[in-house]
Every structure is written in structure tokens, then in C-alpha cells.
Amino acid sequence: MTEGERRFHEHFMRLAMREAEASAAAGEVPCGCVIVQLPEGCLEPGVAKPRPIEDILEARVIARGHNQTELLRDPTAHAEMIAITAAAEAVGDWRLGRVAVYVTKEPCPMCAGALVCARAAMVVWGLNDLERGGEGAFGILSSNRLNHRPRLLPGILEAECRAQFTDFFSERRKENRR
């Protein structure tokens, strides 16, 4: 990965981290998601030599989401699901072929399945979840048995994303002891 690509991905992961902060402030598990429309020629199927993803000004945030399962009393109200719905509305199609999805924690199996169905070009996450993650535990995003496999980029700002989670749960444990 070039320095420009690293900066690009970190920029959008920081935006997802802001969404995670909104989750935590509402008492929700701190997971945030941002969906970015990529410039033409980047990660498109059939493009022999795709353009590098480096120019932040050429990309556009089309959707944001953060966990709202408690607020909405809905087990599907994960950050990714909310953002996918908003992105589909923004582009006017359920196919999100030219988007990169930035999420602070590896998508769960439900969200990973939705990202495959939505045809996301790329899924970028911070914190790995080897026990329950849709990719780490189940291999959904890279499965040859499914009709679409996005490019995967795990571990972007992993330490910062991990800190959001550990700080949130540490604070919850303190509150429960009171």
C-alpha cells in the first residue's frame, strides 16, 4: 500500500470512528460505518489496471451509520446495515459496485452477507473479530461459494478502533459495579 493509499483509508476510517463515538454516546456498542463512492476506474470489475485509491477529494461519502440496536429495538440495526440502506437510496440502486465500506469493527455474518449482496467493491475495517466476524470466523466476504467477493483491507487504525471498544466496555463494567 502506498503512503497516499494509507492516508486515504485512514481518513475515512476516522470518519467511521466518529460514527462509533455517536453509538457510544447513546449507550450502543461503539461501531461506526461510512460508505464512500470511489472515483471511476478504482476497483471496478473488468478494469485491468485500476487507478490507485489516493485522492480523498475525488471520493465522496454517500452514507453513514452507527449501531442503533437498542434505540430501535432492532437486532438488524447495525452500523453497516443502516449505512447500506442509506447508500442504496443515495445511488438509487441496491448494487453498490463502486463503493468502499469503512467500518470500525469487522462486520458480523449478517452484515458481511449484506455487503456481498450489495456488491460493495471494498470492505475496510479496523478491529478484527476472529471469533464472531463474518470474515475472520466464517470467511463470508472471501467465499468462493458466493457470487461476489469485495477487496478486503483489515486492520486500518486497529489500535484506535480497539481502544474505542475496550474503553466503552470498561466504562460499562464500572457503571454496573456501582
Side-chain angles (χ1 to χ4, degrees), residues 96-177:
L96 302 176
R98 225 177 74 217
V99 303
V101 178
Y102 292 85
V103 61
T104 57
K105 182 181 166 292
E106 179 180 340
C108 73
M110 173 185 68
C111 294
L115 290 166
V116 169
C117 289
R119 315 282 198 282
M122 180 178 219
V123 180
V124 182
W125 66 84
L127 179 60
N128 288 307
D129 187 349
L130 300 176
E131 293 178 14
R132 292 173 294 282
E135 181 59 23
F138 300 100
I140 294 168
L141 294 167
S142 63
S143 175
N144 289 329
R145 301 177 83 186
L146 298 172
N147 63 334
H148 177 74
R149 284 173 297 288
R151 180 174 168 208
L152 306 178
L153 186 55
I156 298 296
L157 299 180
E158 184 171 10
E160 293 92 329
C161 292
R162 181 178 310 282
Q164 275 189 318
F165 269 79
T166 57
D167 291 351
F168 174 80
F169 287 110
S170 177
E171 190 60 35
R172 289 288 284 271
R173 283 189 292 277
K174 285 180 194 172
E175 290 171 6
N176 289 338
R177 283 188 226 132

Side-chain angles (χ1 to χ4, degrees), residues 28 66-70 72 74-79 81-82 110:
E28 302 272 359
H66 58 271
N67 279 3
Q68 297 181 47
T69 55
E70 300 296 335
L72 300 176
D74 179 356
T76 68
H78 290 195
M81 301 298 279
I82 290 167
M110 173 185 68

